[in-house]
Short mmCIF file of all heavy atoms in Angstrom, two decimals:
data_model
loop_
_atom_site.label_atom_id
_atom_site.label_comp_id
_atom_site.label_asym_id
_atom_site.label_seq_id
_atom_site.Cartn_x
_atom_site.Cartn_y
_atom_site.Cartn_z
N PRO O 12 226.33 59.33 45.76
CA PRO O 12 225.03 59.78 45.22
C PRO O 12 224.16 60.49 46.29
O PRO O 12 224.46 60.36 47.46
CB PRO O 12 224.36 58.47 44.84
CG PRO O 12 224.93 57.45 45.77
CD PRO O 12 226.38 57.91 45.99
N PRO O 13 223.07 61.10 45.85
CA PRO O 13 222.14 61.62 46.89
C PRO O 13 221.57 60.53 47.77
O PRO O 13 221.49 59.40 47.26
CB PRO O 13 221.01 62.27 46.02
CG PRO O 13 221.59 62.46 44.69
CD PRO O 13 222.63 61.36 44.55
N LEU O 14 221.30 60.85 49.04
CA LEU O 14 220.83 59.81 49.88
C LEU O 14 219.53 60.26 50.61
O LEU O 14 219.36 61.47 50.87
CB LEU O 14 221.88 59.52 51.01
CG LEU O 14 223.13 58.82 50.62
CD1 LEU O 14 224.07 58.65 51.77
CD2 LEU O 14 222.82 57.46 49.97
N VAL O 15 218.64 59.29 50.93
CA VAL O 15 217.47 59.58 51.67
C VAL O 15 217.85 59.30 53.13
O VAL O 15 218.58 58.36 53.43
CB VAL O 15 216.21 58.84 51.22
CG1 VAL O 15 215.85 59.29 49.83
CG2 VAL O 15 216.44 57.34 51.30
N THR O 16 217.13 59.91 54.07
CA THR O 16 217.37 59.72 55.48
C THR O 16 216.49 58.67 55.98
O THR O 16 215.40 58.43 55.53
CB THR O 16 217.25 61.03 56.23
OG1 THR O 16 217.35 60.75 57.67
CG2 THR O 16 215.88 61.64 56.02
N GLY O 17 216.92 57.99 57.09
CA GLY O 17 216.02 56.97 57.73
C GLY O 17 214.92 57.62 58.51
O GLY O 17 213.86 56.98 58.73
N ALA O 18 214.99 58.87 58.88
CA ALA O 18 213.87 59.59 59.53
C ALA O 18 212.78 59.87 58.50
O ALA O 18 213.13 60.29 57.39
CB ALA O 18 214.35 60.90 60.17
N GLN O 19 211.52 59.60 58.86
CA GLN O 19 210.47 59.80 57.85
C GLN O 19 210.00 61.26 57.89
O GLN O 19 208.89 61.59 58.28
CB GLN O 19 209.34 58.85 58.26
CG GLN O 19 209.69 57.34 58.35
CD GLN O 19 210.02 56.79 57.02
OE1 GLN O 19 209.17 56.42 56.21
NE2 GLN O 19 211.34 56.63 56.73
N ILE O 20 210.84 62.09 57.38
CA ILE O 20 210.59 63.52 57.35
C ILE O 20 209.47 63.81 56.24
O ILE O 20 208.80 64.88 56.43
CB ILE O 20 211.80 64.38 57.10
CG1 ILE O 20 212.44 64.04 55.70
CG2 ILE O 20 212.87 64.11 58.24
CD1 ILE O 20 213.61 64.95 55.44
N GLY O 21 209.34 62.96 55.28
CA GLY O 21 208.25 63.22 54.33
C GLY O 21 206.92 62.90 54.77
O GLY O 21 205.96 63.71 54.82
N ASP O 22 206.71 61.62 55.33
CA ASP O 22 205.44 61.18 55.81
C ASP O 22 205.12 61.71 57.17
O ASP O 22 204.19 62.51 57.32
CB ASP O 22 205.41 59.66 55.83
CG ASP O 22 205.03 59.08 54.49
OD1 ASP O 22 204.23 59.68 53.75
OD2 ASP O 22 205.58 57.99 54.11
N SER O 23 205.87 61.25 58.15
CA SER O 23 205.57 61.71 59.52
C SER O 23 205.87 63.24 59.71
O SER O 23 205.11 63.91 60.43
CB SER O 23 206.46 60.96 60.49
OG SER O 23 205.97 59.56 60.65
N GLY O 24 206.86 63.75 59.02
CA GLY O 24 207.04 65.18 59.13
C GLY O 24 205.92 65.95 58.61
O GLY O 24 205.54 66.94 59.20
N THR O 25 205.28 65.60 57.52
CA THR O 25 204.16 66.28 56.93
C THR O 25 202.94 66.07 57.89
O THR O 25 202.16 67.02 58.07
CB THR O 25 203.78 65.75 55.56
OG1 THR O 25 204.95 65.92 54.72
CG2 THR O 25 202.65 66.53 55.01
N GLY O 26 202.82 64.90 58.48
CA GLY O 26 201.66 64.67 59.41
C GLY O 26 201.76 65.69 60.64
O GLY O 26 200.74 66.20 61.09
N LEU O 27 202.94 65.88 61.15
CA LEU O 27 203.17 66.82 62.21
C LEU O 27 202.80 68.24 61.79
O LEU O 27 202.17 69.07 62.53
CB LEU O 27 204.61 66.82 62.69
CG LEU O 27 205.01 65.43 63.34
CD1 LEU O 27 206.57 65.46 63.61
CD2 LEU O 27 204.20 65.15 64.60
N HIS O 28 203.20 68.66 60.56
CA HIS O 28 202.86 69.97 60.06
C HIS O 28 201.36 70.11 59.97
O HIS O 28 200.75 71.17 60.31
CB HIS O 28 203.45 70.19 58.65
CG HIS O 28 204.94 70.53 58.72
ND1 HIS O 28 205.91 69.61 58.79
CD2 HIS O 28 205.55 71.75 58.60
CE1 HIS O 28 207.17 70.19 58.80
NE2 HIS O 28 206.89 71.53 58.66
N LEU O 29 200.68 69.06 59.42
CA LEU O 29 199.23 69.13 59.27
C LEU O 29 198.51 69.25 60.63
O LEU O 29 197.50 69.97 60.71
CB LEU O 29 198.71 67.89 58.52
CG LEU O 29 197.24 67.93 58.12
CD1 LEU O 29 197.01 69.01 57.09
CD2 LEU O 29 196.79 66.60 57.58
N ALA O 30 199.01 68.55 61.63
CA ALA O 30 198.38 68.63 62.93
C ALA O 30 198.39 70.07 63.43
O ALA O 30 197.47 70.56 64.05
CB ALA O 30 199.10 67.73 63.90
N LEU O 31 199.54 70.76 63.26
CA LEU O 31 199.64 72.16 63.72
C LEU O 31 198.63 73.01 62.94
O LEU O 31 198.00 73.87 63.50
CB LEU O 31 201.07 72.66 63.43
CG LEU O 31 201.33 74.15 63.76
CD1 LEU O 31 200.99 74.39 65.24
CD2 LEU O 31 202.76 74.53 63.46
N GLY O 32 198.52 72.77 61.62
CA GLY O 32 197.55 73.48 60.83
C GLY O 32 196.10 73.31 61.30
O GLY O 32 195.30 74.21 61.32
N ILE O 33 195.79 72.08 61.63
CA ILE O 33 194.44 71.82 62.17
C ILE O 33 194.11 72.52 63.51
O ILE O 33 193.10 73.10 63.60
CB ILE O 33 194.27 70.27 62.35
CG1 ILE O 33 194.25 69.59 60.97
CG2 ILE O 33 193.06 69.94 63.17
CD1 ILE O 33 194.34 68.08 61.01
N VAL O 34 195.09 72.46 64.39
CA VAL O 34 194.92 73.14 65.68
C VAL O 34 194.79 74.64 65.47
O VAL O 34 193.92 75.33 66.14
CB VAL O 34 196.08 72.84 66.61
CG1 VAL O 34 196.03 73.70 67.89
CG2 VAL O 34 196.09 71.34 67.02
N ALA O 35 195.57 75.22 64.50
CA ALA O 35 195.46 76.63 64.19
C ALA O 35 194.08 76.97 63.60
O ALA O 35 193.43 77.98 64.01
CB ALA O 35 196.53 77.11 63.25
N ALA O 36 193.60 76.11 62.74
CA ALA O 36 192.27 76.32 62.15
C ALA O 36 191.08 76.17 63.22
O ALA O 36 190.18 76.91 63.17
CB ALA O 36 192.03 75.32 61.01
N LEU O 37 191.30 75.26 64.09
CA LEU O 37 190.30 75.13 65.21
C LEU O 37 190.28 76.38 66.09
O LEU O 37 189.20 76.88 66.49
CB LEU O 37 190.64 73.89 66.11
CG LEU O 37 190.31 72.47 65.51
CD1 LEU O 37 190.95 71.48 66.35
CD2 LEU O 37 188.77 72.30 65.39
N TYR O 38 191.44 76.94 66.27
CA TYR O 38 191.54 78.17 67.12
C TYR O 38 190.85 79.28 66.38
O TYR O 38 190.14 80.11 66.97
CB TYR O 38 193.02 78.47 67.41
CG TYR O 38 193.18 79.64 68.39
CD1 TYR O 38 192.99 79.45 69.76
CD2 TYR O 38 193.52 80.91 67.92
CE1 TYR O 38 193.17 80.50 70.59
CE2 TYR O 38 193.72 81.96 68.78
CZ TYR O 38 193.45 81.77 70.14
OH TYR O 38 193.64 82.82 71.00
N GLN O 39 191.19 79.44 65.07
CA GLN O 39 190.59 80.53 64.27
C GLN O 39 189.10 80.38 64.24
O GLN O 39 188.34 81.39 64.21
CB GLN O 39 191.21 80.61 62.93
CG GLN O 39 190.77 81.84 62.13
CD GLN O 39 191.42 81.89 60.74
OE1 GLN O 39 191.94 80.94 60.26
NE2 GLN O 39 191.44 83.09 60.18
N ARG O 40 188.59 79.22 64.19
CA ARG O 40 187.13 78.94 64.13
C ARG O 40 186.40 79.53 65.41
O ARG O 40 185.18 79.92 65.33
CB ARG O 40 186.86 77.43 64.00
CG ARG O 40 185.47 77.19 63.59
CD ARG O 40 185.21 75.66 63.50
NE ARG O 40 185.25 74.96 64.76
CZ ARG O 40 184.96 73.70 65.01
NH1 ARG O 40 184.72 72.92 63.91
NH2 ARG O 40 185.06 73.16 66.18
N ASN O 41 187.12 79.66 66.45
CA ASN O 41 186.52 80.25 67.62
C ASN O 41 186.07 81.67 67.40
O ASN O 41 185.11 82.13 67.97
CB ASN O 41 187.50 80.21 68.84
CG ASN O 41 187.69 78.79 69.31
OD1 ASN O 41 186.89 77.92 69.21
ND2 ASN O 41 188.92 78.59 69.93
N SER O 42 186.79 82.38 66.55
CA SER O 42 186.37 83.75 66.24
C SER O 42 185.58 83.93 64.96
O SER O 42 184.79 84.84 64.93
CB SER O 42 187.68 84.58 66.22
OG SER O 42 188.53 84.13 65.15
N THR O 43 185.75 83.05 64.05
CA THR O 43 185.06 83.22 62.75
C THR O 43 183.77 82.43 62.71
O THR O 43 182.85 82.69 62.02
CB THR O 43 185.95 82.78 61.53
OG1 THR O 43 186.20 81.36 61.62
CG2 THR O 43 187.26 83.58 61.56
N GLY O 44 183.76 81.23 63.36
CA GLY O 44 182.61 80.43 63.43
C GLY O 44 182.46 79.52 62.22
O GLY O 44 181.50 78.87 62.05
#
């Protein structure tokens, strides 16, 4: 059957993606205000 992995790619993986998005938004705010 299909299997899920022990690595938390859904929860922790998404958290890592969101952190990158936040840092990018902070950087863009420097120019847009």
Side-chain angles (χ1 to χ4, degrees):
L14 292 177
V15 295
T16 174
Q19 303 292 282
I20 61 175
D22 277 325
S23 288
T25 304
L27 296 173
H28 282 82
L29 187 66
L31 176 59
I33 289 169
V34 172
L37 284 168
Y38 186 80
Q39 186 176 20
R40 194 180 69 175
N41 290 332
S42 58
T43 66

